[in-house]
Coordinates of all heavy atoms in Angstrom, one line a residue:
M1418 N 54.8 -6.1 5.6 CA 53.8 -7.0 6.1 C 53.9 -8.4 5.5 O 53.9 -8.4 4.2 CB 52.4 -6.4 5.8 CG 51.2 -7.3 6.1 SD 49.7 -6.4 5.7 CE 48.6 -7.6 6.4
P1419 N 54.2 -9.4 6.2 CA 54.4 -10.7 5.6 C 53.1 -11.4 5.1 O 52.0 -11.0 5.6 CB 55.0 -11.5 6.7 CG 54.5 -10.9 8.0 CD 54.4 -9.4 7.6
A1420 N 53.2 -12.3 4.2 CA 52.0 -13.0 3.7 C 51.5 -13.9 4.9 O 52.3 -14.4 5.7 CB 52.4 -13.9 2.5
K1421 N 50.2 -14.2 4.9 CA 49.6 -14.9 6.0 C 49.4 -16.4 5.6 O 49.1 -17.2 6.5 CB 48.3 -14.4 6.5 CG 48.5 -13.0 7.1 CD 47.1 -12.5 7.6 CE 47.4 -11.0 8.2 NZ 46.1 -10.5 8.6
S1422 N 49.6 -16.7 4.3 CA 49.4 -18.1 3.8 C 50.3 -18.3 2.6 O 50.7 -17.4 2.0 CB 47.9 -18.3 3.5 OG 47.6 -17.7 2.3
A1423 N 50.5 -19.6 2.4 CA 51.3 -19.9 1.2 C 50.6 -19.5 -0.1 O 51.3 -19.0 -1.0 CB 51.5 -21.4 1.1
A1424 N 49.3 -19.5 -0.2 CA 48.6 -19.1 -1.4 C 48.8 -17.6 -1.6 O 49.0 -17.2 -2.8 CB 47.2 -19.4 -1.3
Q1425 N 48.8 -16.8 -0.6 CA 49.0 -15.4 -0.6 C 50.4 -15.1 -1.1 O 50.6 -14.2 -1.9 CB 48.7 -14.7 0.7 CG 48.6 -13.2 0.6 CD 48.2 -12.7 2.0 OE1 48.8 -13.1 3.0 NE2 47.3 -11.7 2.1
Q1426 N 51.4 -15.8 -0.6 CA 52.8 -15.6 -1.0 C 53.0 -16.0 -2.5 O 53.7 -15.3 -3.2 CB 53.7 -16.5 -0.1 CG 55.1 -16.3 -0.3 CD 55.8 -17.2 -1.3 OE1 55.2 -18.2 -1.7 NE2 57.0 -16.9 -1.8
K1427 N 52.4 -17.0 -3.0 CA 52.5 -17.5 -4.4 C 51.8 -16.3 -5.2 O 52.4 -16.1 -6.4 CB 51.9 -18.8 -4.6 CG 52.6 -20.0 -4.0 CD 51.7 -21.3 -4.1 CE 52.2 -22.3 -3.2 NZ 51.3 -23.5 -3.3
A1428 N 50.7 -15.9 -4.9 CA 50.0 -14.8 -5.7 C 50.9 -13.6 -5.8 O 50.9 -13.0 -6.8 CB 48.6 -14.6 -5.1
A1429 N 51.5 -13.2 -4.7 CA 52.3 -12.1 -4.7 C 53.5 -12.3 -5.6 O 53.9 -11.3 -6.3 CB 52.8 -11.7 -3.3
G1430 N 54.1 -13.4 -5.6 CA 55.2 -13.7 -6.6 C 54.8 -13.7 -8.0 O 55.6 -13.0 -8.8
A1431 N 53.6 -14.1 -8.3 CA 53.1 -14.0 -9.7 C 52.9 -12.6 -10.1 O 53.2 -12.1 -11.2 CB 51.9 -14.9 -9.8
A1432 N 52.3 -11.8 -9.2 CA 52.0 -10.4 -9.4 C 53.3 -9.6 -9.5 O 53.4 -8.7 -10.4 CB 51.2 -9.8 -8.3
L1433 N 54.3 -9.9 -8.7 CA 55.6 -9.2 -8.8 C 56.3 -9.5 -10.2 O 56.8 -8.6 -10.8 CB 56.5 -9.7 -7.7 CG 57.9 -9.1 -7.6 CD1 57.8 -7.6 -7.4 CD2 58.7 -9.7 -6.4
S1434 N 56.2 -10.7 -10.6 CA 56.8 -11.1 -11.9 C 56.1 -10.3 -13.1 O 56.8 -9.8 -13.9 CB 56.6 -12.5 -12.2 OG 57.0 -12.9 -13.4
A1435 N 54.8 -10.1 -13.0 CA 54.1 -9.3 -14.0 C 54.4 -7.8 -13.9 O 54.5 -7.2 -14.9 CB 52.6 -9.5 -13.8
K1436 N 54.5 -7.4 -12.6 CA 54.9 -5.9 -12.4 C 56.2 -5.6 -13.0 O 56.4 -4.5 -13.5 CB 54.8 -5.7 -10.9 CG 55.0 -4.2 -10.5 CD 53.8 -3.4 -10.5 CE 53.2 -3.1 -9.2 NZ 52.1 -2.2 -9.4
R1437 N 57.1 -6.6 -12.9 CA 58.5 -6.4 -13.5 C 58.6 -6.6 -15.0 O 59.6 -6.4 -15.6 CB 59.5 -7.3 -12.8 CG 59.7 -6.9 -11.3 CD 60.7 -7.8 -10.6 NE 60.9 -7.4 -9.3 CZ 61.5 -8.1 -8.4 NH1 61.9 -9.4 -8.7 NH2 61.8 -7.6 -7.2
G1438 N 57.5 -7.1 -15.6 CA 57.5 -7.3 -17.0 C 58.0 -8.7 -17.4 O 58.2 -9.0 -18.6
E1439 N 58.2 -9.6 -16.5 CA 58.8 -10.9 -16.8 C 57.7 -11.8 -17.2 O 58.0 -12.9 -17.9 CB 59.4 -11.4 -15.5 CG 60.6 -10.6 -15.0 CD 61.1 -11.0 -13.7 OE1 60.5 -11.8 -13.0 OE2 62.1 -10.4 -13.2
T1440 N 56.4 -11.6 -16.9 CA 55.3 -12.4 -17.2 C 54.2 -11.5 -17.7 O 54.0 -10.4 -17.1 CB 54.7 -13.1 -15.9 OG1 55.8 -13.9 -15.3 CG2 53.6 -14.1 -16.3
P1441 N 53.5 -11.9 -18.8 CA 52.3 -11.0 -19.2 C 51.3 -10.9 -18.2 O 50.9 -11.9 -17.6 CB 51.9 -11.7 -20.5 CG 52.9 -12.7 -20.8 CD 53.7 -13.0 -19.6
K1442 N 50.7 -9.7 -18.0 CA 49.6 -9.5 -17.0 C 48.3 -10.4 -17.4 O 47.6 -10.7 -16.6 CB 49.2 -8.1 -17.0 CG 50.3 -7.2 -16.2 CD 49.8 -5.8 -16.1 CE 50.9 -4.9 -15.4 NZ 50.5 -3.5 -15.3
S1443 N 48.2 -10.6 -18.7 CA 47.1 -11.4 -19.2 C 47.1 -12.9 -18.7 O 46.1 -13.5 -18.6 CB 47.0 -11.5 -20.7 OG 48.2 -12.0 -21.2
E1444 N 48.3 -13.3 -18.2 CA 48.3 -14.7 -17.6 C 47.9 -14.8 -16.2 O 47.7 -15.8 -15.7 CB 49.8 -15.2 -17.8 CG 50.1 -15.6 -19.2 CD 51.5 -16.2 -19.3 OE1 52.1 -16.6 -18.2 OE2 52.0 -16.3 -20.4
L1445 N 47.7 -13.6 -15.5 CA 47.4 -13.6 -14.1 C 45.9 -14.0 -13.9 O 45.0 -13.6 -14.7 CB 47.7 -12.2 -13.5 CG 49.1 -11.8 -13.5 CD1 49.3 -10.5 -12.8 CD2 50.0 -12.8 -12.7
K1446 N 45.6 -14.6 -12.8 CA 44.3 -15.0 -12.4 C 44.0 -14.7 -11.0 O 45.0 -14.6 -10.1 CB 44.0 -16.4 -12.6 CG 44.2 -16.9 -14.0 CD 43.9 -18.4 -14.2 CE 44.1 -18.9 -15.6 NZ 44.0 -20.3 -15.7
G1447 N 42.8 -14.5 -10.6 CA 42.4 -14.3 -9.2 C 43.1 -13.2 -8.4 O 43.2 -12.0 -8.9
A1448 N 43.6 -13.5 -7.2 CA 44.2 -12.5 -6.3 C 45.4 -11.8 -6.9 O 45.7 -10.7 -6.8 CB 44.6 -13.2 -5.0
S1449 N 46.2 -12.6 -7.8 CA 47.4 -12.0 -8.3 C 47.1 -10.9 -9.3 O 47.8 -9.9 -9.4 CB 48.3 -13.0 -8.9 OG 47.6 -13.7 -9.9
R1450 N 46.0 -11.0 -10.0 CA 45.5 -10.0 -11.0 C 45.2 -8.7 -10.2 O 45.5 -7.6 -10.6 CB 44.4 -10.5 -11.8 CG 43.8 -9.5 -12.8 CD 42.9 -10.1 -13.7 NE 43.6 -10.8 -14.7 CZ 43.3 -11.0 -15.9 NH1 42.2 -10.4 -16.4 NH2 44.1 -11.6 -16.8
H1451 N 44.5 -8.8 -9.0 CA 44.2 -7.7 -8.3 C 45.4 -7.1 -7.6 O 45.6 -5.9 -7.6 CB 43.1 -8.1 -7.2 CG 42.7 -7.0 -6.3 ND1 42.0 -5.9 -6.7 CD2 43.0 -6.7 -5.0 CE1 41.8 -5.0 -5.7 NE2 42.5 -5.6 -4.7
M1452 N 46.3 -7.9 -7.1 CA 47.5 -7.4 -6.4 C 48.4 -6.6 -7.3 O 49.0 -5.6 -6.9 CB 48.3 -8.6 -5.9 CG 47.8 -9.3 -4.7 SD 48.8 -10.8 -4.3 CE 48.8 -10.7 -2.6
V1453 N 48.6 -7.0 -8.6 CA 49.5 -6.3 -9.5 C 49.0 -4.8 -9.7 O 49.8 -3.9 -9.9 CB 49.7 -7.0 -10.8 CG1 48.5 -6.9 -11.7 CG2 50.9 -6.5 -11.5
E1454 N 47.7 -4.6 -9.6 CA 47.2 -3.3 -9.9 C 47.1 -2.4 -8.6 O 47.3 -1.2 -8.6 CB 45.7 -3.4 -10.4 CG 45.7 -4.1 -11.7 CD 46.4 -3.4 -12.9 OE1 46.5 -2.1 -12.8 OE2 46.8 -4.1 -13.8
S1455 N 46.9 -3.1 -7.4 CA 46.7 -2.4 -6.2 C 47.9 -2.2 -5.2 O 47.9 -1.5 -4.3 CB 45.5 -3.0 -5.4 OG 45.9 -4.3 -5.0
M1456 N 49.0 -3.0 -5.6 CA 50.2 -2.9 -4.7 C 51.4 -2.4 -5.4 O 51.5 -2.5 -6.6 CB 50.4 -4.3 -4.1 CG 49.3 -4.8 -3.3 SD 49.6 -6.5 -2.7 CE 50.7 -6.2 -1.4
T1457 N 52.3 -1.8 -4.6 CA 53.6 -1.4 -5.2 C 54.5 -2.5 -5.3 O 54.4 -3.6 -4.7 CB 54.2 -0.3 -4.3 OG1 54.6 -0.9 -3.1 CG2 53.3 0.9 -4.1
E1458 N 55.6 -2.3 -6.1 CA 56.6 -3.4 -6.2 C 57.2 -3.7 -4.9 O 57.5 -4.9 -4.6 CB 57.7 -3.0 -7.2 CG 58.6 -4.1 -7.6 CD 59.5 -3.8 -8.7 OE1 59.2 -3.0 -9.6 OE2 60.6 -4.3 -8.8
K1459 N 57.4 -2.8 -4.0 CA 58.0 -3.0 -2.8 C 57.1 -3.8 -1.8 O 57.6 -4.8 -1.2 CB 58.4 -1.7 -2.1 CG 59.0 -1.8 -0.7 CD 59.4 -0.5 -0.2 CE 59.9 -0.4 1.2 NZ 60.9 -1.2 1.7
Q1460 N 55.8 -3.6 -1.9 CA 54.9 -4.3 -1.1 C 54.8 -5.8 -1.6 O 54.8 -6.7 -0.8 CB 53.5 -3.7 -1.2 CG 53.3 -2.4 -0.5 CD 52.0 -1.8 -0.8 OE1 51.5 -1.7 -1.9 NE2 51.4 -1.2 0.3
L1461 N 54.8 -5.9 -2.9 CA 54.8 -7.3 -3.5 C 56.1 -8.1 -3.1 O 56.0 -9.2 -2.8 CB 54.7 -7.2 -5.0 CG 53.3 -6.8 -5.5 CD1 53.3 -6.5 -6.9 CD2 52.2 -7.8 -5.1
E1462 N 57.3 -7.4 -3.1 CA 58.5 -8.1 -2.7 C 58.4 -8.6 -1.3 O 58.8 -9.6 -1.0 CB 59.6 -7.0 -2.8 CG 60.1 -6.9 -4.3 CD 61.2 -5.8 -4.3 OE1 61.6 -5.2 -3.3 OE2 61.7 -5.6 -5.5
E1463 N 57.8 -7.7 -0.3 CA 57.6 -8.1 1.0 C 56.8 -9.4 1.2 O 57.1 -10.4 1.9 CB 57.0 -7.0 1.8 CG 58.1 -5.8 2.1 CD 57.4 -4.7 2.8 OE1 56.3 -4.9 3.4 OE2 58.0 -3.6 2.8
F1464 N 55.6 -9.4 0.4 CA 54.8 -10.5 0.5 C 55.4 -11.8 -0.1 O 55.3 -12.9 0.4 CB 53.5 -10.3 -0.3 CG 52.4 -9.7 0.6 CD1 52.4 -8.4 1.1 CD2 51.3 -10.5 0.9 CE1 51.4 -7.9 1.9 CE2 50.2 -10.0 1.7 CZ 50.3 -8.7 2.2
A1465 N 56.1 -11.6 -1.3 CA 56.6 -12.8 -2.0 C 57.8 -13.4 -1.3 O 58.1 -14.5 -1.4 CB 57.0 -12.3 -3.4
S1466 N 58.5 -12.5 -0.5 CA 59.8 -13.0 0.2 C 59.4 -13.8 1.5 O 60.3 -14.3 2.1 CB 60.7 -11.9 0.4 OG 60.1 -11.0 1.4
T1467 N 58.2 -13.8 1.9 CA 57.8 -14.5 3.1 C 58.1 -16.0 3.0 O 57.8 -16.6 2.0 CB 56.3 -14.3 3.3 OG1 56.0 -12.9 3.4 CG2 55.8 -15.0 4.6
K1468 N 58.7 -16.5 4.0 CA 58.9 -18.0 4.0 C 57.7 -18.7 4.2 O 56.7 -18.3 4.9 CB 59.9 -18.3 5.2 CG 61.2 -17.6 5.1 CD 62.0 -18.0 3.9 CE 63.4 -17.3 3.9 NZ 64.0 -17.2 2.6
R1469 N 57.5 -19.9 3.4 CA 56.3 -20.6 3.5 C 56.3 -21.7 4.6 O 55.3 -22.2 5.0 CB 56.2 -21.4 2.2 CG 55.7 -20.6 1.0 CD 55.4 -21.4 -0.2 NE 55.9 -20.8 -1.3 CZ 55.9 -21.3 -2.5 NH1 55.5 -22.6 -2.7 NH2 56.4 -20.8 -3.5
K1470 N 57.5 -21.9 5.2 CA 57.5 -22.9 6.3 C 56.6 -22.5 7.4 O 56.7 -21.4 8.0 CB 58.9 -23.1 6.8 CG 59.1 -24.2 7.7 CD 60.6 -24.4 8.1 CE 60.7 -25.5 9.1 NZ 62.1 -25.8 9.4
G1471 N 55.8 -23.5 7.8 CA 54.8 -23.1 8.9 C 53.6 -22.4 8.5 O 52.7 -22.2 9.4
K1472 N 53.4 -22.0 7.3 CA 52.2 -21.2 6.9 C 51.2 -22.2 6.3 O 51.5 -23.2 5.7 CB 52.6 -20.3 5.7 CG 53.6 -19.2 6.1 CD 53.0 -18.0 6.6 CE 54.0 -16.9 6.8 NZ 53.8 -16.2 8.0
P1473 N 49.9 -21.9 6.6 CA 48.8 -22.8 6.0 C 48.7 -22.5 4.6 O 49.2 -21.4 4.1 CB 47.6 -22.4 6.8 CG 47.9 -20.9 7.2 CD 49.4 -20.9 7.5
E1474 N 48.2 -23.4 3.8 CA 48.0 -23.2 2.4 C 47.0 -22.1 2.1 O 47.2 -21.2 1.3 CB 47.5 -24.4 1.7 CG 47.3 -24.3 0.2 CD 48.6 -23.9 -0.6 OE1 49.7 -24.3 -0.2 OE2 48.5 -23.2 -1.6
H1475 N 45.9 -22.0 2.9 CA 44.9 -21.0 2.9 C 44.5 -20.6 4.2 O 44.5 -21.4 5.2 CB 43.6 -21.4 2.1 CG 43.9 -21.8 0.7 ND1 43.9 -20.8 -0.3 CD2 44.1 -23.0 0.0 CE1 44.1 -21.4 -1.5 NE2 44.3 -22.7 -1.3
V1476 N 44.1 -19.4 4.4 CA 43.7 -18.8 5.7 C 42.1 -18.7 5.7 O 41.6 -18.1 4.7 CB 44.3 -17.5 6.0 CG1 43.7 -16.9 7.3 CG2 45.8 -17.6 6.2
G1477 N 41.5 -19.3 6.6 CA 40.0 -19.2 6.6 C 39.6 -17.9 7.2 O 40.4 -17.1 7.9
D1478 N 38.3 -17.5 6.9 CA 37.8 -16.2 7.4 C 37.6 -16.2 8.8 O 37.1 -16.8 9.6 CB 36.6 -15.8 6.6 CG 37.0 -15.4 5.2 OD1 38.1 -15.0 4.9 OD2 36.1 -15.6 4.3

C-alpha cells in the first residue's frame, strides 16, 4: 500500500530507520512513533519507498 501524502511517506521513513536501529526510537514524534510499533518493516518499506512527486503534503479528512 503506497503512502497517500508526502508527510505519511516521511513518517514511514523515520519509523523504518528506528525499526532498523539506525535512529533511536526516543527521537520519533507523532505518526512515526505510532508506525514503528504498529507496522512491520516490510510495510514501512512500502510506505517509505513511495515517490513524492504529485503527492500532496497532507491529506485532508
